Amino acid sequence: MIENILAGMRTFKPYNPDQLYLLPPALRDWLPEGHLALFLGDVVDGLDLEPIFSVYEQGDGRGQPPYHPAMMMKLMIYGYCMGKPSSRKIERASYEDVAYRVLAAEQHPDHDSISEFRKRHLKALSGLFVQVLRLCQKAGLVKLGHVALDGTKIKANASKHKAMSYERMCKAEKEIEQEVERLLERAQQVDRAEDKEYGQGKRGDELPAELARRESRLNKIREAKAELEEEARDRAAKEAEQAQAKIKQRREKEQQTGKKARGRTPGVADPQKAVPQPKAQRNFTDPDSRIMKDGATQGFVQAYNCQAVVDSQAQIIVAAALTQEANDKQQLVAMLEEVEKNVADKPHKASADAGYFSQAQLTDTKLQGIDLYVAPERLRHGEKIEEVSCAPPSAQATLIEQMRHKLKTAQGHAIYKMRKAIVEPVFGQIKEVRGFRRFSFRGEPKVAAEWQLICLTHNLLKLFTAKACLQGA
């Protein structure tokens, strides 16, 4: 019927789904010139993948040969760029999506192979962040005139309902210990009864299984308790070290002035006697993750605090890291040092919100030469800052007073006002556009590596967009 209709109509181009190719097609011809997949394929071919290739030299050569690392790398990076990091989705796409088929050269690695490749080379994959950043530098997308720093909470691969506070652990430990004792007594009673009825060595299965579950849970609680207690001792040791340093400075000042220093002498606590706070929590699924407040939803989530420093030129991420700390107080120095390490230069200006304001951080000698714009207090949404034109505070003014005045000047206000426009859209692009809201891995080292991979692919997308704009101009 269709053939007859088509035969009588000469206005259509030939259409035959069963037509065979006379010659094998070139895979790149399946995609239009300038496609993201082709761009990523060319970029990966130009990267130094020696850290990945070197792993395969350690094998004994037995078994089936592995998939080519470059091909697996292209699939992984394209998957993350398209918001499809799932190994199962990538496997399915290698059959259904033309771009994946081109990158895989018509091979179809199963999801186990993709997942294993990612696990095996995750650290090496994240290590490519600097290589991609240098490509962005060469393309003129990084100027370091003004960088903005911020953090965002991204959910861990764990439920917050699988967490327990130290206070609850102590109660649960005692409760389960009592349950185990009762179960042991019941088990012994059953053993004695069954020995009389069935003979020596015969016993039921229900109580031992129930007992095993209780003992397993008890062991997990004890391990989590021990980790929290160790953290408390480490924290107390650092605080004691800081207190002793302050006491030393206090004594030196007293010797120089001949007067007793004002204020109370800092106390030095014994780290060995330190105990966790009652509400200190540990998650049993991912112990490295923490309960954190999400600034966007104002709800509490099991998450990690993901940090990024973004350059104002083209929203390129010039430094990325991850912390278990819920607040950002200690991140300013470390993140700006990471910028210098990655691009071999310091930024001229750096801005951050009030969460990063810390006298110790802002006065650190490592940040000398960087013009800092960090708000001393949070501003309400939409609150306007009244600009000042008077002379700056005296040298005796506090750091808070100096920074407050700096941000109220016309120049300071204009620079700080740009902070949101520089860094916050980056988190929006990662979370909203690409849909990355939960990590695939567990444990701080693996999660930190995956965050580097996310930031790497963000930079690749920016580089692709910039080159496309240049070609279209």
Side-chain angles (χ1 to χ4, degrees):
M1 181 67 178
I2 295 176
E3 289 80 358
N4 294 335
I5 293 174
L6 292 175
M9 301 178 67
R10 304 295 180 184
T11 57
F12 298 114
K13 292 183 179 181
Y15 170 66
N16 183 2
D18 299 322
Q19 174 67 49
L20 299 178
Y21 286 105
L22 297 177
L23 296 173
L27 293 178
R28 291 180 69 97
D29 292 343
W30 288 0
L31 293 173
E33 195 64 37
H35 193 278
L36 175 61
L38 299 179
F39 168 77
L40 294 179
D42 293 339
V43 169
V44 171
D45 287 338
L47 296 177
D48 179 12
L49 303 182
E50 183 55 33
I52 295 176
F53 280 96
S54 63
V55 174
Y56 295 94
E57 296 174 2
Q58 301 169 9
D60 55 14
R62 292 183 294 180
Q64 290 290 328
Y67 288 103
H68 199 287
M71 182 268 283
M72 299 292 278
M73 179 80 172
K74 292 173 185 178
L75 288 178
M76 288 290 304
I77 287 182
Y78 189 69
Y80 272 97
C81 284
M82 301 304 293
K84 195 182 289 185
S86 164
S87 56
R88 282 178 169 81
K89 289 182 179 180
I90 293 175
E91 177 190 3
R92 191 179 307 120
S94 72
Y95 290 95
E96 301 173 353
D97 191 305
V98 173
Y100 286 89
R101 291 179 65 182
V102 170
L103 290 175
E106 282 290 67
Q107 297 182 65
H108 308 285
D110 59 86
H111 63 270
D112 285 334
S113 299
I114 297 169
S115 178
E116 181 59 32
F117 178 85
R118 182 168 57 173
K119 288 178 185 176
R120 190 178 188 185
H121 304 293
L122 186 61
K123 188 174 181 180
L125 288 171
S126 68
L128 299 175
F129 173 82
V130 174
Q131 288 191 50
V132 172
L133 181 55
R134 296 289 169 85
L135 291 177
C136 294
Q137 267 187 291
K138 289 180 180 178
L141 302 182
V142 177
K143 298 296 185 182
L144 295 183
H146 179 192
V147 300
L149 170 62
D150 205 355
T152 187
K153 308 301 190 297
I154 293 184
K155 291 180 181 179
N157 190 358
S159 169
K160 67 179 180 180
H161 302 295
K162 294 295 183 181
M164 186 181 287
S165 69
Y166 183 74
E167 184 179 33
R168 179 69 187 118
M169 285 179 193
C170 295
K171 292 179 181 178
E173 184 180 19
K174 292 178 182 177
E175 291 170 359
I176 296 175
E177 281 178 347
Q178 293 171 358
E179 288 180 14
V180 170
E181 289 177 4
R182 287 196 298 269
L183 288 169
L184 284 171
E185 178 59 31
R186 286 173 60 188
Q188 290 172 359
Q189 291 174 3
V190 170
D191 285 347
R192 287 194 291 268
E194 289 183 345
D195 284 346
K196 288 181 181 179
E197 185 174 357
Y198 302 111
Q200 191 73 22
K202 298 292 182 70
R203 58 184 292 176
D205 293 327
E206 294 180 9
L207 283 176
E210 187 179 2
L211 182 60
R213 286 195 296 272
R214 294 293 191 281
E215 288 184 330
S216 174
R217 190 178 178 206
L218 181 60
N219 288 336
K220 286 185 177 180
I221 289 174
R222 284 174 174 167
E223 288 174 4
K225 264 188 67 184
E227 289 172 357
L228 285 174
E229 288 164 355
E230 182 64 27
E231 282 184 5
R233 286 192 291 269
D234 291 343
R235 192 179 303 111
K238 291 179 182 177
E239 290 173 357
E241 186 178 343
Q242 291 172 357
Q244 288 170 349
K246 289 179 180 179
I247 291 172
K248 183 179 178 182
Q249 292 175 354
R250 183 186 178 94
R251 287 173 181 168
E252 290 175 351
K253 187 175 181 180
E254 288 176 344
Q255 289 175 356
Q256 291 172 359
T257 61
K259 296 179 181 179
K260 185 174 177 60
R262 290 183 178 183
R264 185 180 300 173
T265 303
V268 182
D270 183 359
Q272 296 305 316
K273 295 180 181 179
V275 293
Q277 294 293 323
K279 292 188 177 181
Q281 294 194 343
R282 180 70 54 166
N283 189 281
F284 295 110
T285 307
D286 183 357
D288 290 346
S289 62
R290 298 288 183 267
I291 293 284
M292 298 181 181
K293 188 175 183 180
D294 188 345
T297 63
Q298 297 301 309
F300 289 91
V301 292
Q302 195 74 34
Y304 287 92
N305 185 356
C306 301
Q307 301 283 310
V309 183
V310 181
D311 185 82
S312 63
Q313 178 70 13
Q315 291 183 331
I316 297 295
I317 299 175
V318 290
L322 177 142
T323 177
Q324 297 168 296
E325 299 293 331
N327 64 61
D328 303 321
K329 289 286 184 189
Q330 305 301 318
Q331 306 307 317
L332 185 67
V333 173
M335 292 305 298
L336 292 180
E337 274 192 302
E338 191 69 16
V339 173
E340 185 176 6
K341 175 183 172 185
N342 290 342
V343 296
D345 199 4
K346 284 184 177 182
H348 298 294
K349 301 181 185 69
S351 60
D353 64 21
Y356 291 88
F357 192 90
S358 161
Q359 177 146 349
Q361 292 276 303
L362 268 69
T363 56
D364 195 299
T365 56
K366 295 172 185 173
L367 300 186
Q368 284 183 354
I370 302 176
D371 192 9
L372 298 173
Y373 296 81
V374 184
E377 56 261 322
R378 292 190 181 277
L379 299 176
R380 291 189 297 272
H381 183 69
E383 181 180 353
K384 293 183 178 179
I385 300 177
E386 294 184 8
E387 294 183 4
V388 296
S389 56
C390 59
S394 65
Q396 285 73 36
T398 65
L399 180 63
I400 291 178
E401 292 171 339
Q402 292 175 11
M403 186 60 71
R404 194 178 288 154
H405 179 275
K406 185 177 183 179
L407 296 184
K408 285 184 178 181
T409 63
Q411 180 184 358
H413 178 59
I415 292 172
Y416 186 75
K417 187 179 178 181
M418 287 301 298
R419 182 195 66 82
K420 284 187 176 182
I422 296 170
V423 66
E424 292 188 4
V426 171
F427 293 141
Q429 291 156 16
I430 290 172
K431 287 183 167 183
E432 294 294 334
V433 179
R434 295 164 62 192
F436 188 82
R437 293 183 171 275
R438 183 186 295 273
F439 286 106
S440 304
F441 294 92
R442 294 169 182 166
E444 184 185 11
K446 291 181 179 179
V447 172
E450 189 173 20
W451 176 239
Q452 292 272 336
L453 185 55
I454 286 294
C455 295
L456 175 155
T457 48
H458 168 86
N459 287 348
L460 280 173
L461 286 169
K462 290 292 184 181
L463 182 60
F464 171 71
T465 303
K467 291 203 168 186
C469 290
L470 288 173
Q471 290 172 355

